[in-house]
Every structure is written in structure tokens, then in C-alpha cells.
Amino acid sequence: MSHIDNIPSTPGKFKMDKSPYIHHRLRWHSSIAKLTFWSFIFLGLILVFFFRSPSTVPSSTSPSSDLSRRSLRTNSWGGPTWEKRVKSSAKIRSRNGISVLVTGAAGFVGTHVSAALKRRGDGVLGLDNFNDYYDPSLKRARQALLERTGVFIVEGDINDVALLKKLFDVVQFTHVMHLAAQAGVRYAMENPSSYVHSNIAGLVSVLEVCKSVNPQPAIVWASSSSVYGLNTKVPFSEKDRTDQPASLYAATKKAGEEIAHTYNHIYGLSLTGLRFFTVYGPWGRPDMAYFFFTRDILKGKSIPIFEAANHGTVARDFTYVDDIVKGCLAALDTAEKSTGSGGKKKGAAQLRVFNLGNTSPVPVSDLVSILERLLKVKAKRLIMKLPRNGDVQFTHANISSAQRELGYKPTTDLQTGLKKFVRWYLSYYGLGKKSAQ
């Protein structure tokens, strides 16, 4: 990623008038020139960001392609047939059920949460733009899985305010589970604007619509354990500082928490942020280490295992997706109603943030050893220094608050969870045949 350098000052190359008046005028004109220059640059970036949208979406693009490939890609929507599908999917079928709009429903966690809500009789409507940050065919397979359970996923972008308003016109959602986001720590170095587009602008779009509808829904949304950044105090507690992000992804999630506070304070929206810790399991994301380690071990390729300075261990608080889902549903069930009406706050509203982790950090090298046993293949390990690309040395969740307030209790250890993942992986990809492609 290239950076715009500051224009260097070179005062030694010409002789300046020593007069204070002339000096003051030169400095003043220089400041005006710089201000004008940067104003044009900033305006240009805004125009590019907001008005650049492709007429077609490439079926295969390089990972470094720009925001255009994941900007507003809303397909045609509306009409009696479409509205009928929306209403049917969102219809509550249990006595005390809720009606939930799940953004990012074709994503990893979104699919599992949507299926769990539907199983217990809640009304569920999905929203996803099916971008190609990773293989869209996996998202389409998840979509097909949810279709079989009765969950309809509207194809559209969370920045499409007209679509969001239409969905709330058709269905009076009691809750929003906002999981749509640009994921990944390292990819932010290649395509930073996509993180601003999804994680900041997208969140604001959702909150803007939610604040204006009547009644306002309660909102549960996905923050991230990445907000702890360079924090060295372990385990990470919700009370710890989160002002030292180690990646742009983390910074956008931290910004999201501050934005949530603002909308809660001004508009009375009930908001609960969930800081997920390294979620894994069946139907997972191909950009996650456990996933591509499995793929590369089966292909006989070397896998990078990072170590910190002085041969320090890199460890993660791996959390199985079913445990995360339980936390998400508990957050929905304990969410209080928003207090605003017509965009105006009527009283104090609930504002919460919880860690959802496993509380048992495991060295990445141990993760590889478990995969080797499950796959019955020896991994080709390539030990490398931890790069300065946003990755942190360890994560470790303090979940006492979630235990107390949500009844959250993770039950799946890494050995058990990876066994379930490998079983799914081999079934989905066909014993490595598809994974070798």
C-alpha cells in the first residue's frame, strides 16, 4: 500500500528575505497553499470513496483489488413476491420468540446464529452482500444451508439505507444481530478503505436506520478481541484499556464501540457489543489459520508458524463457534428495549460489552499438532518471526462478566472442536480433492 508523502520543506535552497513582514507573508501564503492542496486531496478521496461503484462485479479478482469490489452491490429487491419471502422468513413461530435481522448472515458466525435462532422458533431474516474477500461459493453454500431451514437472505449492502428502511417497513424487527463486517487483520494493509466502508460507515448506516424506526430494535453487534491491541495485562477484561490498536481492523472495531456509545447516549438505542476471541469450527473462514493450515497440510505445503521475540510463544484463545452462538443468543435474550422513539431519546438505554472467549489460550504450535493427529499427516512447519502487520502475540479472555450477566459458559475444548471442524472439512471438500484446487 503506497502512502502520500508530505511535501518536503527545502529552505536551504533559496535565500529568504529576513524582513519579519515578508517572512510572515511567506509563511501565511505557504499555509494557505498547503491547506488548499490537502483540501483538494481530501475532497478527491471522498468523491472516489462515495461515488465509485462498478457496473459489474468480477467473478475472480486479486486480493489486493480496491473497495469497488465490495461496495454497494445490492441486487434488485422489492415487489410482492420478495416481500412475501421476507415476511415468511421473519415470522415468529414460538410463543415468546423474537424477530431478528441478521446482517452478515452468510458469514461464518452469521450462518450459525441464524440457524440457531430459527431452530428455536424465532423469526430470522438475513442480509449479506456476498463479497469476495474469500471464496463466495462457500457463502453460497451457507446460504443454501439456511434456505433449507427457512431463512431467507436478502442480497444487499448494509450501506444501502434505502434497502434497510424497506426491510423495516416490511417487518417490525424486535432485534438486530449486526455481524456484517470486513474481517481479517492482515488484509487491512492491502485494502484499508474496505474496513472503513464496512466497519464504520456500515455500522453507522445500520444505527441511523434503527434510531429512526418506531419502535426501535435492540441491537447486538460483533466487536472483536482485537480491540485489546498491545495490552499486556492478561486475561483481557472489559475494563482494560483499548486505546492501543495493533491493526486498522482493531481500530475500526474500537471506533465502532465509541459510535455505539454515541447512538446509545443520543438516541436511546439499546446496544450490546460482543468481543469475539478467535472463533473456529465447521463452515469457518478460509483466511483463518486453522482453516488454511488444514488445507496446506493436506496439500503437503509448508505452513508458517510464527514466534515472538526471543522465541516467544504465539497463543490464541480459540473459541468454538457453538459456544459463541450461545453467547450471541444470550445477549439477544437479555437485551433490554431501546428507549427512543422517532429518533429521539426518551430515557436511559442499556449499553453493554462482553468478552466471548474460551479462557484457555493454546499455542499455535499445539494447534498444528492436533491437526496432524486428526488428519494423520505430518505438517511441514516453517518457523517465522511474528510480522508487524497487526498480529499480536497472544489473546486471553476474562469472561466473568459474560458468565454473570449472560450465563455464558464455553464447553468445547480445542481438541473436540477441531475434530468437528476436520470432519466437516473433509466432507465438504471431499478428502482434500477440492481443497487441492
Side-chain angles (χ1 to χ4, degrees):
M1 183 68 191
S2 61
H3 299 278
I4 300 176
D5 296 322
N6 291 328
I7 299 176
S9 175
T10 55
K13 293 188 178 180
F14 60 93
K15 191 172 182 179
M16 295 185 64
D17 193 311
K18 299 299 183 181
S19 165
Y21 173 72
I22 298 296
H23 181 65
H24 174 75
R25 288 189 61 190
L26 286 171
R27 289 183 60 186
W28 185 80
H29 283 297
S30 176
S31 298
I32 291 297
K34 288 183 179 179
L35 179 61
T36 302
F37 173 77
W38 287 113
S39 295
F40 277 115
I41 291 295
F42 185 65
L43 179 60
L45 288 173
I46 291 178
L47 291 173
V48 169
F49 183 79
F50 284 103
F51 294 101
R52 183 178 184 182
S53 69
S55 58
T56 59
V57 179
S59 59
S60 61
T61 55
S62 67
S64 60
S65 60
D66 61 22
L67 174 63
S68 64
R69 72 192 185 104
R70 55 173 55 76
S71 59
L72 296 184
R73 288 168 43 175
T74 302
N75 287 1
S76 59
W77 48 265
T81 302
W82 180 85
E83 289 191 17
K84 184 177 180 180
R85 293 191 71 186
V86 167
K87 290 179 179 178
S88 176
S89 184
K91 184 178 180 180
I92 299 172
R93 303 180 188 278
S94 62
R95 185 174 180 181
N96 298 312
I98 57 178
S99 181
V100 189
L101 173 63
V102 181
T103 69
F108 173 32
V109 177
T111 296
H112 284 274
V113 169
S114 298
L117 287 169
K118 198 66 175 180
R119 280 196 300 269
R120 69 179 200 175
D122 294 319
V124 185
L125 180 71
L127 176 64
D128 205 291
N129 69 354
F130 294 91
N131 70 41
D132 53 0
Y133 166 61
Y134 59 81
D135 184 7
S137 69
L138 179 57
K139 299 178 183 181
R140 294 297 181 183
R142 297 184 189 130
Q143 179 187 29
L145 183 71
L146 289 178
E147 288 277 3
R148 292 195 292 271
T149 69
V151 176
F152 174 46
I153 299 180
V154 174
E155 185 165 356
D157 195 292
I158 55 175
N159 283 287
D160 188 343
V161 174
L163 172 58
L164 292 175
K165 288 181 177 179
K166 179 63 176 179
L167 294 177
F168 275 94
D169 286 342
V170 176
V171 178
Q172 186 173 296
F173 295 104
T174 60
H175 295 71
V176 172
M177 173 61 73
H178 179 51
L179 299 171
Q182 175 58 60
V185 169
R186 301 171 195 170
Y187 183 66
M189 298 184 71
E190 298 177 34
N191 192 359
S193 58
S194 66
Y195 290 79
V196 178
H197 177 77
S198 296
N199 302 356
I200 296 180
L203 175 61
V204 170
S205 295
V206 171
L207 296 182
E208 276 291 306
V209 173
C210 288
K211 79 164 193 196
S212 301
V213 298
N214 192 19
Q216 295 173 334
I219 303 163
V220 178
W221 69 285
S223 183
S224 170
S225 62
S226 295
V227 299
Y228 291 108
L230 302 178
N231 182 26
T232 57
K233 174 184 170 292
V234 291
F236 299 155
S237 167
E238 294 91 343
K239 297 179 182 179
D240 292 341
R241 63 185 298 181
T242 54
D243 59 352
Q244 301 179 97
S247 67
L248 180 62
Y249 169 71
T252 60
K253 285 298 185 179
K254 173 59 178 176
E257 293 188 356
E258 301 304 321
I259 291 169
H261 179 277
T262 303
Y263 276 78
N264 169 269
H265 173 69
I266 298 176
Y267 303 109
L269 285 175
S270 170
L271 282 148
T272 301
L274 303 176
R275 295 172 177 171
F276 297 156
F277 281 72
T278 317
V279 190
Y280 73 100
W283 297 98
R285 282 183 12 224
D287 64 319
M288 297 292 285
Y290 72 93
F291 199 115
F292 65 76
F293 279 179
T294 299
R295 179 196 66 208
D296 290 346
I297 289 173
L298 288 171
K299 292 167 67 173
K301 296 178 62 176
S302 297
I303 58 173
I305 300 178
F306 297 129
E307 64 177 19
N310 300 318
H311 305 288
T313 299
V314 174
R316 292 289 180 269
D317 197 347
F318 295 102
T319 313
Y320 190 62
V321 65
D322 286 358
D323 291 324
I324 290 292
V325 169
K326 292 175 185 175
C328 290
L329 268 58
L332 288 169
D333 292 339
T334 58
E336 297 176 359
K337 292 183 178 179
S338 294
T339 63
S341 177
K344 295 182 179 180
K345 182 178 180 179
K346 302 297 184 179
Q350 187 181 53
L351 180 66
R352 307 180 295 176
V353 63
F354 296 108
N355 289 336
L356 293 187
N358 195 53
T359 75
S360 301
V362 176
V364 174
S365 57
D366 290 358
L367 165 76
V368 175
S369 297
I370 295 173
L371 288 175
E372 286 177 324
R373 291 194 295 272
L374 293 171
L375 297 170
K376 297 180 174 58
V377 179
K378 188 70 174 176
K380 297 178 180 178
R381 305 184 185 213
L382 181 61
I383 308 301
M384 303 175 65
K385 290 183 178 180
L386 186 66
R388 297 179 63 86
N389 59 4
D391 280 318
V392 295
Q393 183 176 349
F394 54 84
T395 59
H396 184 185
N398 177 337
I399 61 170
S400 57
S401 181
Q403 287 176 322
R404 182 174 61 254
E405 302 294 330
L406 305 179
Y408 174 71
K409 184 180 179 181
T411 59
T412 308
D413 60 50
L414 187 59
Q415 172 77 31
T416 302
L418 284 178
K419 185 176 182 179
K420 293 179 179 180
F421 165 73
V422 167
R423 185 185 303 122
W424 167 82
Y425 185 95
L426 295 177
S427 173
Y428 182 79
Y429 288 107
L431 296 175
K433 293 178 182 178
K434 222 174 181 181
S435 64
Q437 294 177 1

